Amino acid sequence: EAQVTQNPRYLITVTGKKLTVTCSQNMNHEYMSWYRQDPGLGLRQIYYSMNVEVTDKGDVPEGYKVSRKEKRNFPLILESPSPNQTSLYFCASTLAGEDTGELFFGEGSRLTVL
Amino acid sequence: GQNIDQPTEMTATEGAIVQINCTYQTSGFNGLFWYQQHAGEAPTFLSYNVLDGLEEKGRFSSFLSRSKGYSYLLLKELQMKDSASYLCAVLNTGGFKTIFGAGTRLFVKA
């Protein structure tokens, strides 16, 4: 089954404790992206990657890091989480060059930073 | 700047028709998307418009006017399961950057 898988789905952590949210897709998509979703603000892009070893900042990259060592994986790293990073995070992918650029989303990771 | 506007909430009755509007101002345009998002779930793709006009897909239709920076999503024969948020999103040129509006929460009542 074609899917984007995120882990963990739910996480409560404390300020400053490094964490990684994993994202994996099995559709051989070149393009992957991370979004955060906050009430009233919609989905905001954190980082995206056009292909292996190619990443770029989105609109709200501060406090986050990413890597793209393999085509299928695109982990989101919070080196020193802070309470303002409490949010619902979505990973998404699409086939670069595809006509529509339709995004396929993971199920979301709800992160709470105390 | 880049901006996508859509109403925050709408309410409609089961069996009726509802139109959700979206206006956008973005630097570059490579298509407009509508996604549906049920509470606590991931967004799912509904429609894509890159040329002016109406695209129909079952009960859902989407319209685009590039000169006016305007789109709408039309939902016919509303069902209770259509209660969800509807996200308008614009794909920028030069980099696969998709910008989302804040979403319209639709309540369908019996």
Side-chain angles (χ1 to χ4, degrees):
Chain A
E1 178 189 354
Q3 59 187 4
V4 179
T5 304
Q6 296 179 224
N7 279 295
R9 295 287 315 283
Y10 302 92
L11 180 64
I12 300 175
T13 189
V14 296
T15 298
K17 186 175 182 181
K18 180 180 178 180
L19 68 93
T20 300
V21 186
T22 63
C23 174
S24 181
Q25 51 90 9
N26 63 1
M27 295 170 279
N28 202 36
H29 286 167
E30 290 90 358
Y31 179 90
M32 298 185 74
S33 181
W34 276 102
Y35 292 87
R36 61 178 289 174
Q37 187 173 38
D38 302 289
L41 296 178
L43 286 159
R44 293 181 292 167
Q45 191 175 48
I46 303 170
Y47 269 94
Y48 65 96
S49 169
M50 296 293 287
N51 214 324
V52 175
E53 302 292 0
V54 180
T55 64
D56 208 347
K57 296 178 181 178
D59 296 317
V60 288
E62 295 77 20
Y64 304 95
K65 288 173 61 176
V66 293
S67 68
R68 188 89 183 274
K69 294 184 171 59
E70 306 165 283
K71 196 172 189 179
R72 63 184 292 124
N73 295 323
F74 190 45
L76 179 70
I77 303 157
L78 286 73
E79 293 273 1
S80 183
S82 62
N84 65 10
Q85 292 177 297
T86 292
S87 187
L88 178 60
Y89 291 87
F90 287 102
C91 179
S93 71
T94 191
L95 194 60
E98 182 75 2
D99 286 344
T100 67
E102 166 198 350
L103 288 168
F104 294 83
F105 286 87
E107 291 181 302
S109 297
R110 187 168 291 280
L111 171 65
T112 301
V113 183
L114 302 176
Chain B
Q2 305 194 99
N3 200 44
I4 298 177
D5 288 317
Q6 47 182 135
T8 303
E9 286 186 0
M10 299 182 71
T11 300
T13 304
E14 193 175 18
I17 299 172
V18 70
Q19 177 175 313
I20 302 174
N21 296 324
C22 171
T23 58
Y24 64 90
Q25 289 178 301
T26 57
S27 54
F29 179 86
N30 204 30
L32 186 141
F33 297 86
W34 285 95
Y35 289 86
Q36 181 189 60
Q37 185 179 24
H38 284 99
E41 298 183 8
T44 55
F45 171 79
L46 284 178
S47 68
Y48 170 74
N49 295 68
V50 65
L51 300 175
D52 289 352
L54 187 69
E55 294 280 344
E56 297 186 78
K57 191 188 293 186
R59 294 189 299 116
F60 293 8
S61 303
S62 56
F63 172 83
L64 175 67
S65 169
R66 289 172 298 171
S67 62
K68 296 181 179 176
Y70 168 70
S71 173
Y72 68 73
L73 179 69
L74 194 71
L75 292 77
K76 303 175 187 175
E77 301 169 16
L78 279 173
Q79 302 175 10
M80 299 299 287
K81 68 178 182 180
D82 297 330
S83 292
S85 289
Y86 291 87
L87 314 180
C88 176
V90 172
L91 181 63
N92 271 12
T93 50
F96 271 86
K97 185 176 177 66
T98 303
I99 301 167
F100 285 83
T104 298
R105 188 179 295 183
L106 174 66
F107 299 94
V108 179
K109 60 182 183 180

